[in-house]
Amino acid sequence: MTDRISIHGQWSSRLMFILATTGSAVGLGNIWKFPYIAGENGGGAFVLIYLVCIVLIGIPIMVCEILIGRRGRQSPVYSLRSLAREDGGSGIWGFIGFSGIFAGLLIISFYSVVAGWSLAYVMRTANGYFVDVTASGSRAIFSELISDPERLLAWHTIFMVMTTVVVARGVRSGLEQTVRILMPLLFLLLLLLVWYAYDTGEFKQGYNFLFAFDFSSLTPGGVVIAMGHAFFTLSLGIGAVMMYGSYLPSEIPIARTALAIAVIDTLVALLAGLAIFPIVFASNLTPGEGPGLLFQTLPIAFGQMPGGTFYGVLFFILLVLAAWTSSISMIEPAVAWLVENRQITRLRSASLVGLFAWLLGIVTIMSFSSWSFQFTFGGKLKNSGMFDVLDILTSSIMLPIGGLAFAIFAGWVMSRESVRDELKGSDLGFSVWYLVVRYVTPIAVIIIFLEGLDFMERLGLF
Ligand code: TRP
């Protein structure tokens, strides 16, 4: 069973897999989403819960996804179905693959719109909009952008086309240079921004906001969001990493690889927080600014620092590239499934999926202007309507359910022998991981869920 190969091809090396999966993990989730949700949920305690979830839930599930993918060698729908049958389980497991495909489409529909903001910001920075900009000026520029549906549609369209083109050609081509050279550059640029924030911002206040664990500001809703973000930021819960795992050569050790990816991903998120919050406090913005946080704060820094226009343009270009290497993994399961199931070409399949996601994106675009509505969420008033609903539905509900299913699948449905055979590695390491995946991870996900159920009720989702 282990000598199956994928009809979609294989990574040329371990490095290629690490690059692709890190590229998928590091994206808007780290740089745009993490700071703003940490800001909305009171900082420190939220960050701590998020880190705990990465270790107890994220990393173990990432290992599950890679090993299921590599053993199944097909899209999640068929990998889950055939592995379940092989070990005496039910083919119904394939349906989890479908819900993942659906979640991926929902996610890309709003992700692409935010990537579109980043594209728009490349131009705005280049045109000198932000030179010596004030906090209120920066806020005005952002709200002007998101309330202009036609402009948003144009940028969203460009980004969806970029994503579809790469997926149509196969995720292996074109990815390598971006991730190998440009992502380290993004990392350096974040370091530069942190240094700038240290030099001129309210660094201590920003640092304390992120790392002083004040549990009084944490709500059950915040805990669910922190867990959901652990899934989101590592690209877990829809079968994206499973898909990438299905292209992984069989001799490569899985656990160490997953660990490395999670560490890099977490570092990037924390750096982004350290760059942003000192500027938030120095310019009298509030941490709970919402989805515009990144776009309202960093331009202030670029507007003041020497060479700011250059660094700003570079930063937003790299942000777009980071989003690009992430978005392709969101639709890869859908595209691979269509190719397997309908026997159509990748080009066709990617075009269909891309078109569907593009249409869906219009919901998000409208939700910032004419379709916006208000609702309370976790005790806070939110006013961007469908955008927030889509985000919560996917990150806080669909991804944890998908991830829970993958953990149960590897821990209880597949036989211990199959799992052991796929993972290799040391006996001790295996035993610890197996115990965590069978008991700790599922129980943690379920407890956090139940705790947050009450607040989801208030949201009207249950
Ligand atoms: N991890 C990416 C980020 O942080 C987003 C992402 C890519 C994702 N692929 C995914 C999220 C699959 C959930 C599922 O930006």
Side-chain angles (χ1 to χ4, degrees):
M1 292 309 146
T2 43
D3 47 16
R4 277 201 193 108
I5 48 164
S6 167
I7 60 163
H8 311 286
Q10 184 165 314
W11 305 114
S12 50
S13 64
R14 171 165 185 249
L15 180 66
M16 199 52 218
F17 170 79
I18 296 185
L19 289 176
T21 311
T22 310
S24 164
V26 175
L28 294 171
N30 307 61
I31 298 168
W32 159 72
K33 193 172 176 194
F34 170 72
Y36 102 73
I37 57 176
E40 282 185 335
N41 290 286
F46 175 90
V47 174
L48 180 65
I49 303 281
Y50 155 74
L51 293 174
V52 170
C53 288
I54 292 280
V55 174
L56 290 185
I57 299 175
I59 297 172
I61 291 182
M62 183 177 250
V63 172
C64 295
E65 284 207 30
I66 301 174
L67 87 91
I68 295 169
R70 186 165 76 181
R71 211 169 172 79
R73 292 279 187 224
Q74 298 158 79
S75 72
V77 176
Y78 292 120
S79 288
L80 290 164
R81 180 187 297 177
S82 53
L83 291 181
R85 287 194 181 137
E86 244 167 65
D87 285 341
S90 151
I92 302 256
W93 279 95
F95 280 100
I96 299 292
F98 283 117
S99 75
I101 286 176
F102 185 58
L105 292 173
L106 290 181
I107 293 174
I108 199 173
S109 78
F110 69 82
Y111 200 85
S112 166
V113 174
V114 179
W117 300 350
S118 319
L119 276 167
Y121 266 60
V122 173
M123 302 309 290
R124 279 172 178 52
T125 315
N127 285 329
Y129 271 51
F130 300 117
V131 176
D132 291 326
V133 78
T134 58
S136 60
S138 165
R139 197 185 257 152
I141 291 172
F142 179 73
S143 35
E144 194 210 338
L145 171 70
I146 65 165
S147 51
D148 182 347
E150 278 147 40
R151 201 158 287 195
L152 291 187
L153 184 64
W155 292 119
H156 163 60
T157 307
I158 293 173
F159 189 77
M160 261 333 295
V161 170
M162 287 165 61
T163 302
T164 308
V165 167
V166 175
V167 178
R169 297 179 56 202
V171 288
R172 278 154 302 136
S173 44
L175 210 71
E176 194 158 16
Q177 297 313 319
T178 313
V179 191
R180 201 210 300 254
I181 298 163
L182 298 175
M183 288 307 108
L185 199 58
L186 178 64
F187 197 83
L188 287 181
L189 208 55
L190 277 173
L191 279 177
L192 175 81
L193 284 166
V194 173
W195 176 77
Y196 177 82
Y198 180 74
D199 208 37
T200 60
E202 295 288 337
F203 192 77
K204 207 166 160 37
Q205 206 182 341
Y207 181 89
N208 284 340
F209 181 78
L210 275 177
F211 298 114
F213 307 129
D214 169 15
F215 278 91
S216 64
S217 54
L218 196 64
T219 59
V223 178
V224 181
I225 294 177
M227 172 177 74
H229 190 64
F231 284 98
F232 187 91
T233 193
L234 294 177
S235 303
L236 301 175
I238 70 164
V241 172
M242 194 179 293
M243 205 61 237
Y244 280 14
S246 75
Y247 308 143
L248 185 65
S250 25
E251 66 284 358
I252 287 161
I254 291 177
R256 263 189 298 149
T257 311
L259 193 65
I261 295 165
V263 168
I264 297 173
D265 185 78
T266 307
L267 279 179
V268 173
L270 296 178
L271 283 182
L274 283 178
I276 288 173
F277 284 109
I279 301 172
V280 169
F281 293 115
S283 33
N284 287 320
L285 290 161
T286 57
E289 206 65 41
L293 186 70
L294 166 75
F295 296 94
Q296 291 169 24
T297 49
L298 290 189
I300 301 176
F302 293 130
Q304 287 167 356
M305 67 170 71
T309 301
F310 172 76
Y311 289 121
V313 170
L314 187 61
F315 175 82
F316 285 112
I317 289 177
L318 294 173
L319 186 63
V320 170
L321 294 175
W324 196 12
T325 57
S326 298
S327 62
I328 57 182
S329 74
M330 292 170 195
I331 55 172
E332 180 65 13
V335 171
W337 174 76
L338 269 180
V339 170
E340 288 164 6
N341 185 263
R342 299 265 149 230
Q343 265 123 46
I344 56 178
T345 60
R346 263 195 94 86
L347 176 63
R348 245 218 166 125
S349 165
S351 312
L352 279 173
V353 172
L355 188 67
F356 184 76
W358 177 78
L359 280 172
L360 216 56
I362 295 175
V363 174
T364 296
I365 289 175
M366 301 313 285
S367 82
F368 287 105
S369 46
S370 54
W371 291 357
S372 75
F373 57 85
Q374 297 191 323
F375 60 97
T376 46
F377 174 65
K380 295 187 192 76
L381 188 68
K382 296 233 167 200
N383 57 12
S384 36
M386 279 313 287
F387 166 74
D388 278 315
V389 172
L390 273 178
D391 174 35
I392 292 158
L393 177 68
T394 50
S395 296
S396 302
I397 300 174
M398 297 178 86
L399 301 184
I401 291 178
L404 176 65
F406 298 152
I408 292 174
F409 191 87
W412 298 93
V413 177
M414 288 175 76
S415 69
R416 188 187 156 99
E417 293 67 50
S418 311
V419 175
R420 182 78 189 93
D421 177 53
E422 200 59 49
L423 274 185
K424 311 182 175 71
S426 75
D427 283 329
L428 179 66
F430 175 77
S431 308
V432 173
W433 170 84
Y434 201 52
L435 198 76
V436 171
V437 155
R438 280 166 69 98
Y439 300 100
V440 181
T441 306
I443 292 173
V445 173
I446 290 169
I447 290 181
I448 294 179
F449 234 160
L450 291 180
E451 203 202 347
L453 213 60
D454 153 64
F455 101 111
M456 286 180 198
E457 248 167 55
R458 253 181 290 161
L459 183 66
L461 283 169
F462 277 142

